[in-house]
């Protein structure tokens, strides 16, 4: 079972070297497996960052987290910037890219929730 917890104890900084007021720790079966940093606004959701520890990647965790965020924000849109290596991940979630996809720089995207 995947759960998100507000990072009130600074675990993101301890585990991932970064922490923000909008960070959430991702736990799977009570093990910290990653973090997601996003903020919900009236009309949209801005995703700043999602990271899954290397040993837990390719298990669908990030996809389930993003799907949950989308599901909880019906009628809004989610937007962010994709790293070059994550274009396929965002595309699998239905992302539309706002610029030509770039294999060297960040590419802005949006998803209708």
């Amino acid at each position: 079972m995947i759960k998100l917890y507000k990072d009130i104890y600074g675990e993101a900084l301890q585990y991932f070297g970064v922490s923000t007021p909008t960070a959430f720790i991702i736990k799977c079966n009570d093990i910290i497996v990653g973090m997601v940093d996003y903020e919900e606004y009236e009309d949209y959701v801005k995703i700043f960052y999602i990271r899954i520890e290397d040993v837990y990647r390719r298990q669908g965790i990030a996809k389930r987290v993003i799907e949950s965020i989308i599901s909880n924000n019906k009628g809004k849109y989610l937007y962010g910037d994709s790293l070059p290596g994550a274009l396929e991940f965002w595309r699998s979630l239905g992302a539309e890219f706002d610029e030509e996809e770039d294999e060297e720089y960040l590419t802005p995207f949006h998803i209708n929730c």
Side-chain angles (χ1 to χ4, degrees), residues 66-106:
I66 299 300
E67 287 174 339
S68 175
I69 293 169
I70 290 169
S71 176
N72 290 330
N73 286 281
K74 292 291 183 194
K76 298 180 183 182
Y77 67 95
L78 179 142
Y79 80 94
D81 297 302
S82 176
L83 292 167
L87 293 168
E88 287 302 317
F89 168 76
W90 292 110
R91 188 177 288 112
S92 76
L93 288 161
E96 295 180 29
F97 296 97
D98 302 330
E99 297 176 3
E100 186 174 324
E101 296 170 28
D102 194 318
E103 292 295 328
E104 293 184 29
Y105 301 104
L106 296 174

